[in-house]
Amino acid sequence: MTLIGEIIAVFLTLAIFSFLYKDNPAYRFAEYLIVGVTVGYGLPLVYKNAFQPFVLQRIFVEHKFIFLIPVFFGILFWFRFSRNYGWLSRYPIAISMGMVGAGVTMSMNSMVLVQVRQAMIPLETFNIFLIFLGTITVMFYFFFSKAHTGLYGKFSRIGIWYMMIGFGASFGYTVMARISLLIGRLQFLADTFKGWIA
Amino acid sequence: MHKNRNKSWLSVILCLVALNFSFSLFAEKITVENAKIENFVVEDVPGDLGSGLLLKWKPLPNELKILEYRIYRGITPDSLFYSGSVMLNPVVGFAGEEISFLDSGFKPFVDKSSPGRLVVDSKVKPLDEKTFYFGTANNGYPRDLEVLAQANNKFSLIAQIEKGVYYSRYEEVTLDEQLFAGYPLGNVSVLARVRSGVEYFYSVVPLNETRKYLRPSEVVSGTPISDPLQKPARELYSNLIVDGSTPISLNFDWENATGSYSSQAAIYVFDDELEVTKSYFEATEENPYQGKEPFILSLDPQINEYGKFSQPIISENGAYFLKNEDSQLMIDLERIEDYQVVIQADNGQTLFLKDTPNSRYQSIQTASLTDLPQVPTFNVYDVPNDKGDTQIVVWEKPLVEITKTSFHEKLGKFLIVNYDYYDYQAETLKSFDLKLTLEGQEKPFYETDEFYLDNVIKLAVPDDYDNNTITAEIIIKTNNPDTEPYTLYQNLKFDKILKALIPSAIVKNNIALNSFNYEVYAKEGSPQYVTVAGKVVGKMNNYSDVISYERFLYESVIAFDPESGKVLVPGDIQVWYDGKTEKSLNLSKFASVSKEKIATEITTVEEEIAQITDPKHKERLENYQSSLLALQTELNNNISNRKWIGIVKNHRNNSLRQKSYKVFASNNRGLFTSYELPLNEDGSYQYFTPISNQFDYDKLAGLLASIIFAILVAVYVNLAKKGVDLYIRPIAGIQEIDNAIGRATEMGRPILFVPGMSSIGVVATLAALSILGKVAKKAAEYDTRILVPTRDFILMPIAQEIVKEAHIEAGRPDTFDKNSVFFITTDQFAYVAGVNGIMIREKTATNFYMGSYFAESLLMTETGNITGAIQIAGTDSVTQIPFFITTCDYTLIGEELYAASAYMSKEPMILGTLKAQDYFKFIILFFIIVGTILSTSKITFLLDFFPEK
Amino acid sequence: MKKNIPLAIVIILGFIFVGWTFIPAKWMQDDFYTAFLEFTKTMSPFAVFLGIYSLVSMHYNRIRRKVPKWGYSYVTLTGLVVTATLGFVYGTQAGTPVQWIFRNFMMPISATMFSLLAFYMATAAYKSFRARSIEATVLLVAAIIIMLGQVPLGMAISRSWPINILDISQWIMDVPNLASKRGILLGVGLGSVATSLKILLGIERTYLGGGD
Amino acid sequence: MNFIKNLQGLDRRYVFVFIAVAIIMPLIFPFNSLTYTTTPVENLYQLIDSYSPYVRADDLNGDGIISEEEAIAFKQDRAIFMDFFHDASTMPELFPMEVAVMRHCIYRRVPFFTFTIMEVAAPIIEEAISVVTDEIQKTGRVIERGKDYINIGYKPPALYLPILLGMGDDIAAAVETDTDGNRIENLPMYRDTAIRNYTQMNLVYETSGSDQGLSWMIYARSRFGVNVGVGLTAVMAADQYPYLQSGQCVGMTAGLKGAAEYENLVDMFAMNNLTFSKGQLDNPTEAMMANLDITSDTVPTKFKMARLGMNAQSVAHILIIVFIILGNIGYFLEKKKQNKNL
């Protein structure tokens, strides 16, 4: 069984690699298979980890019939694809969207205000000054209510340089990321073949 | 290297072959079919009061690839229920000689996830027909009271009941003429522990890696024996505290043996030889004790809890005495080291001070009053901005500690000093001065005022520095104007191995803070103090005590009662704890029973009042009595159980969450001081309840900013909708877009427009679509073909509509070709392959990539490069921007995409939001610049207004 | 009924949750939030089945309409049915067939898919990453320094330099990169707050789907 | 000139072969190369180190011995929470760091939770746990599920935010059951310890190939003050720096490099029962160095995956840099020629 598994895994890996040559049936087979298998894999997990404890046990074992209300709303999700009753699905969606309110103040807090605080720390070293300069010039660049002319324009040009260096950093890291994935696969192939030979 | 590796492979193979061979020669091959568990034994766990059994067996050979050993347990040998398992990794196997499983402590027994009826575990093949194995993958006993009733009295059972259920879902059940509260089985989780004296039967069933069940083991039984582990105290210390030459007290400090079930009964102090002293404990009636009478100090449970006691020394006519009701002993200060101190446990076993493990402390030590730690005078604060489940005991002013240092040699030699600070809202650290002085020098070589607390200070190392010790002087200023700045010291000593300066302990008032620990005790629901925090290290200045709101309540299970169909638990309930009188009121869950009980309670209190003379105490008791009477009146109204439990719940919520504290500062060697808060004016103890706060002031900045931004967004989106002209600066990219369309026209080749990988609803896609409208219009004017492949089938008709509109606007509806906007596939890579095919086949002159993109962007732009097309991109996907910049001729970065689309299309939603963001950014910029100027000039209020996390 | 009530639910619940973020009191955090949490827990599994339904119906339609390459839809559906059935029959713990499928089907396919990008990255490095402008030049130079700083080899090359490549790349990350990312981040953060705000204020309604 | 021009016309498939060979060779023939640790990784490591009994119980009663009881007493007031937010596609980068962090926790006896909202990550969790525990069990120490760690396993995505916020109060109430269906409040790691919420689960370590870690910073950190550490694919790493500087994110392992650094630290310190110190990192002892030799068998292969990979990275990076430079030389020569012709 282990050997069969390995053969399948190697075959599927090579099937995907064959895309490098060109799009072909083996690639497409693997491609379509993964979609089905992934969803199929999730189904029993959802049943076991969510449906059973949160729905079945609550109603049939604990007899907490108040939970029939969320079950009702949950079922309304399924009307999403109905032509005439599609609007019913808006109710559960609306309920799940409610938490967006928490997102407003919390994102404002963490993504904006905390960063603003960090941007105004005392300029004790030259590096902190450079960071300060970079932050405000990049913000100038993304300020659309004033044309980039004169001194202001020059100032926002500095922002571009900062951004380019920043993107360069992302670029360098991304190269590493892509190669890492390939390393992982080649390592797998090498190990498997080694195992077969042994 | 590589060669060696090959050889090791070879040797492994050889070994394996040899191993295989030897197996086949000498032993019958063990297979899945005939594998048998050997040496399976069930033993009592010694010294645990009979609460556990230990199962041991020999593991099956690793080549069977065992995944799991499932344990089945029963109270009869013929029906066994699944009760736990040992998991293994089948690939690696198990290396030891013996696998064990400890069946002790409360473990899940039956709960809502248990099967509804008795399930035979059909995968197990019993060794004989009489034995049955029950259970499912994770559960043993079923939710069937008939079956469970057999377990009554055979296990120690505890019911875990959710708060909501606890107060609402019980019924009166009478069993053997006693009244119990019965809960439905489905609503409680029952935990079980083995009981001493009951015989349990076990069997182990192995499972292999494909979850095939192997042959179960024999059924083996075992009985837990109630055998408490009783040991004398483990350590004992005694200190004579003197003030100059006057003895003040004799301190005792001891520690019980771990896991011991014995507590300490008394301490004896002898003025005698060790041998004589020993005979005191061996004396019988025939052979009585001959020496001097000792001083005997009997220890009550409260003192036992503390593990320390201070006996005052009384001076009479120039002589000093240890004195209490039972005995007295004169103390001769000269010979204090010859005195014998003995602690005796309640089971009679003793520990002599002479035998205490730490050799330095084997006689009474003399210590001066100044050696004692500072009295931990503390205050109790409620934690602000919280739900009301934490209060904090604070006994020390804010502290700063240098935690580590490291050298940094880049462009000069630097020392990086990391520090930590401990403070609390009631009094916080405002700033501190750090002065560093080299050993032997007078003047500090470095001084700084650390007003922005970022936990790190970087400084240049002086030229003459040669791994000397550095003294750090930290002068602390707090936000309390009444507190004078105070100084802490730390030595930084160079460590040769670590190559860093290692900070010593903090010294305050000449006392090293780490030489003491703090112990926090609290009373809650009963008048005795119990420990809440064992050893809080000396540098901590506070302890947060979490007093959770109750979520689960635990009751012992009396019985599973099939007759009533309920799980029975006791009917008693603690209604309240009165901190003023330190009295706890225990009544019943049932109104009728409570009515009887409260009457007796009232009489008892009445009797007590009659005896008391202290007016304050009397008043408190009378208050208590009146609240009891009020409760009685309510009960006398013949209220229902439901209403009654509502009243109980209220009282419990209010009174069971109050605590009173006591803190010890101690070196755990007999030097200790303690502090209790002064009594209230009416003579009662100070109790504290955490407060549930209504507003979190830490979030104030976030809230204000959100409101301002919300107003800006609402206003500008509405203005844009009304068509008010809102200025957007010209974006350089727009010119490029026009040029690129022109080029395609010149070359007579089509334009490709990729509207991103995301669906409609994503802002970038919307922006891309509005740019598409303008591009398509231009293209229609020039009569150039435009191709729009989509990845989303909902997007396709919308894009079609946009392109059609554009042709109509340009006055060329005839040139619109519906098939130029088409859906390829939802799959990321297949979509890219499709787009690449189009580029190559159609030889597109200009490619637009607008919208959001993922990892695939590179594949498209690269192909575009090869075909020699002009490429213009615009995306807010930050990770893809670098690739667009390096592979495309022009890239709209991030928000420029929105701006371009707003500029070209005036789409109100995008335009309005963009303007609102612009103005908000302006506010932010203003704050950043002003804030930086202020903070650099050491004014940090603006900085502090913004949240830190 | 069709649109206004759901919209009202979003707005009301949304504002309650705004309140939830700055009201730490027990009635809000425990009583309201726990009730909401329990409610959501029970509702959650139903939404999952939605995704499954949409996948199945999409492939079913592909097969019915015999769109190009419809045969592959059978592969998807078979994969789904077989995996789900095995999961229900044998469970999902270690040692079950589902775990075997995960190891030998799912893992290799999804891991390999993105590893293709390494190849494209290499060819793009060769054929497409061009210093087209001064900006792009700066970008590429920064990228090369970062790349050298990441690998041990880069350190080996520059060890004798007064400031080695590792320090330079670390400085780039800590200073210009940080500044530029913060500037961009503030915009991104505001954008996401704006999106939430528009939903909360009822300006943005696309999530409710089309129709009246 | 002509050579470079010819190179420009080289078929991409040759490039594919080049890069494949450049990666495979170092994998087959491993060599030792130094991995330098960076601050974000060190910070994460130090935080987890500070939760372990070895540091906290440093000789409380002054007798110079840290007794077993002291170790236990200080053991379980801190835990870490690991959120796996990725599928198998980013496993080569993220899996080694998950293993390294888990290994660190187990060696330093820091209890941990594992959790995911992606069904495909559930087996990855199991895999990581078994890879780590097997090795430790060989030394005779038994790692028990529910006692040394709790695997919460998969929960539906709709519950992500509710659970994340609910854990600020009580983890048992928020997730209810572990992956085997056991109720959290009955598991020893919860029942017998003080671990309840973010106060004790002081660190959330999230591995993902996206900016999902942000949710923890936005919701859990701003609300409950929990420390957030992230394990990211290298793609996302550069964007994380503002959060690192602001302290919203305490530490980061970025890509294979980050994983290799963490592996190194675990092998140098945790495996030798040492607490991390920068000075010692610069002056390692022999025992510490022995674990760094990836060509020998001192460290099992599964614990040096990232370091083996970094060798291949070295070669591949150089190759790509050479490609970029060659490509650009060709580009400029071409451009120059065009300008001349004009």
Side-chain angles (χ1 to χ4, degrees), chain A residues 28-100:
Chain A
R28 250 174 275 138
F29 172 81
E31 173 116 61
Y32 277 77
L33 185 64
I34 184 83
V35 177
V37 171
T38 309
V39 176
Y41 179 81
L43 204 57
L45 271 182
V46 173
Y47 178 79
K48 199 183 86 177
N49 289 1
F51 198 68
Q52 229 172 24
F54 302 148
V55 181
L56 296 182
Q57 285 172 10
R58 280 188 180 167
I59 289 165
F60 296 108
V61 179
E62 293 185 79
H63 300 292
K64 292 182 176 167
F65 297 113
I66 184 121
F67 284 107
L68 286 172
I69 300 170
V71 168
F72 169 75
F73 278 108
I75 289 171
L76 290 187
F77 265 127
W78 297 354
F79 285 93
R80 179 93 220 206
F81 297 106
S82 154
R83 206 170 283 273
N84 295 324
Y85 299 100
W87 58 274
L88 280 172
S89 72
R90 288 175 188 161
Y91 282 82
I93 291 173
I95 293 169
S96 357
M97 287 302 279
M99 283 188 102
V100 85

Side-chain angles (χ1 to χ4, degrees), chain B residues 809-879:
Chain B
E809 267 181 55
R812 304 295 303 272
D814 52 310
T815 53
F816 172 64
D817 174 13
K818 202 179 160 196
N819 292 329
S820 64
V821 182
F822 48 94
F823 166 72
I824 296 187
T825 172
T826 51
D827 179 78
Q828 200 180 351
F829 286 99
Y831 174 77
V832 170
V835 172
N836 287 348
I838 295 165
M839 285 183 210
I840 293 164
R841 274 197 310 277
E842 304 273 349
K843 298 201 167 46
T844 52
T846 304
N847 301 340
F848 289 99
Y849 309 96
M850 300 284 167
S852 67
Y853 289 87
F854 309 113
E856 71 301 310
S857 63
L858 187 59
L859 275 68
M860 290 189 288
T861 53
E862 199 201 333
T863 315
N865 246 311
I866 292 168
T867 60
I870 288 267
Q871 308 200 82
I872 295 183
T875 184
D876 61 351
S877 316
V878 182
T879 49

